[in-house]
Amino acid sequence: MPETAWSDGHRVLYHWQGFNAGYLEQTLVNRTIHCSAPNRFNDPWDCKPQFNTDLSDPANHEKYVQWAIALVRQRTTMTDADIANMETTLRTNKLRAAELISEVSQSVAESIAASYRVYCLGPDVKNLLMWAHYGDSHKGICLEFSLRNAIMCTALRCEYLDEFPLVDVHSNDVEDQMRVLLAKGRPWEYEKEYRLVAQERNQAVTQDALLTDGDNLKLPDGALTAVIVGCQGDFDQVQALVSRVAPAIAVKRAVRVPNRYQIEIVGYRPRL
């Protein structure tokens, strides 16, 4: 299985977003976070599997044929004769077999977008690019989460690769399956990203996963520990909102360090 933020030694993670008073109030009052469907990501390669179409290895080719035949028997009403013809085609026409594998890649990407929801997090609250790219050019906010609970501690480490990962379509390896959701190109490595991977309840393939309802994931008490306002954000507005609806949550501020390309986080503790 992929490494978690907890096993990597992190005890706090952060999520950057633009400041929207309604969204933030929903998070604070309902104790939920909004998770994204993978087809809404800004990286067009993200969570889009590509299955291996190299069938030069006879053993791998045979595994693919057996997988495809088992799948059509399970999910279609094809006749035995039609299945036999398909099996012959897959064994003798590698070009057609590779085309079918590519078609499967597309259908699986659509299934992932329908079923899975992802919440992106990072370990470095002072990362200037995260504030610029996801925190509305430092005018937004960053949510601080404790990992000392059963939800946030499951955040999985992303893998940054030079080559797009190819997965054997017949593989049942959990690591292969999770790689589709966690692999990113090397240019994104600056994010050092971890992900909560959930499934939308009415589309879930298993009830053992984290489950979202309408893209929202319920958090346990104490998971959200602070709201941090960007160095160009409206601190007073955010502080007033948090103090009104969730006075136990700390509000902090990112402050630009004079004459340096860096920020510091100034903490403000709530009055309880």
Side-chain angles (χ1 to χ4, degrees):
M1 279 293 291
E3 294 296 327
T4 66
W6 184 271
S7 65
D8 282 345
H10 299 294
R11 297 297 177 260
V12 178
L13 287 177
Y14 302 91
H15 175 85
W16 292 259
Q17 62 189 57
F19 172 59
N20 178 298
Y23 278 142
L24 179 57
E25 184 166 345
Q26 177 179 303
T27 295
L28 296 171
V29 173
N30 298 335
R31 216 170 66 240
T32 59
I33 50 176
H34 185 270
C35 302
S36 298
N39 60 357
R40 297 200 293 266
F41 286 170
N42 57 2
D43 178 1
W45 289 268
D46 209 337
C47 295
K48 296 204 173 50
Q50 184 62 50
F51 292 110
N52 187 7
T53 58
D54 181 2
L55 301 176
S56 58
D57 177 9
N60 188 54
H61 187 183
E62 180 60 26
K63 285 180 180 178
Y64 165 69
V65 172
Q66 294 298 326
W67 173 86
I69 297 305
L71 188 66
V72 297
R73 287 190 185 280
Q74 176 186 0
R75 298 188 180 182
T76 74
T77 57
M78 288 174 63
T79 66
D80 288 343
D82 286 339
I83 291 175
N85 288 334
M86 177 182 172
E87 187 171 356
T88 299
T89 299
L90 293 177
R91 282 208 169 92
T92 59
N93 188 338
K94 290 184 179 180
L95 179 60
R96 180 53 184 150
E99 289 173 351
L100 288 173
I101 292 174
S102 294
E103 291 172 12
V104 171
S105 298
Q106 177 62 32
S107 67
V108 170
E110 293 170 359
S111 177
I112 287 173
S115 300
Y116 285 91
R117 298 293 180 266
V118 176
Y119 194 71
C120 303
L121 300 142
D124 181 10
V125 70
K126 298 180 183 180
N127 187 317
L128 300 184
L129 289 178
M130 297 299 282
W131 278 103
H133 294 165
Y134 301 105
D136 189 20
S137 303
H138 295 261
K139 297 188 292 290
I141 60 175
C142 181
L143 304 182
E144 177 187 276
F145 296 96
S146 168
L147 270 60
R148 299 181 186 278
N149 58 80
I151 299 292
M152 302 308 297
C153 73
T154 67
L156 300 170
R157 184 207 302 162
C158 283
E159 179 182 23
Y160 299 96
L161 305 171
D162 293 314
E163 299 293 333
F164 197 91
L166 298 179
V167 180
D168 288 325
V169 71
H170 52 73
S171 174
N172 290 317
D173 189 286
V174 173
E175 203 152 320
D176 281 345
Q177 296 169 3
M178 290 306 299
R179 175 170 286 179
V180 170
L181 298 168
L182 298 172
K184 292 176 69 70
R186 186 71 67 185
W188 297 91
E189 194 167 20
Y190 75 92
E191 295 184 348
K192 300 178 182 177
E193 185 180 342
Y194 291 87
R195 289 180 168 177
L196 290 178
V197 177
Q199 295 180 41
E200 188 68 3
R201 190 180 302 274
N202 62 4
Q203 296 281 342
V205 296
T206 172
Q207 296 298 306
D208 294 335
L210 298 180
L211 298 175
T212 55
D213 294 287
D215 300 345
N216 293 308
L217 178 66
K218 189 76 171 180
L219 295 177
D221 284 332
L224 176 61
T225 54
V227 177
I228 304 163
V229 184
C231 64
Q232 301 191 102
D234 189 334
F235 177 82
D236 292 338
Q237 184 182 6
V238 176
Q239 186 182 50
L241 189 157
V242 176
S243 298
R244 175 172 57 83
V245 301
I249 301 294
V251 182
K252 304 177 184 179
R253 168 184 262 161
V255 177
R256 188 165 62 89
V257 177
N259 304 319
R260 292 186 184 178
Y261 293 118
Q262 68 183 67
I263 56 174
E264 295 294 342
I265 307 302
V266 178
Y268 293 80
R269 298 305 306 176
R271 296 180 180 179
L272 301 179

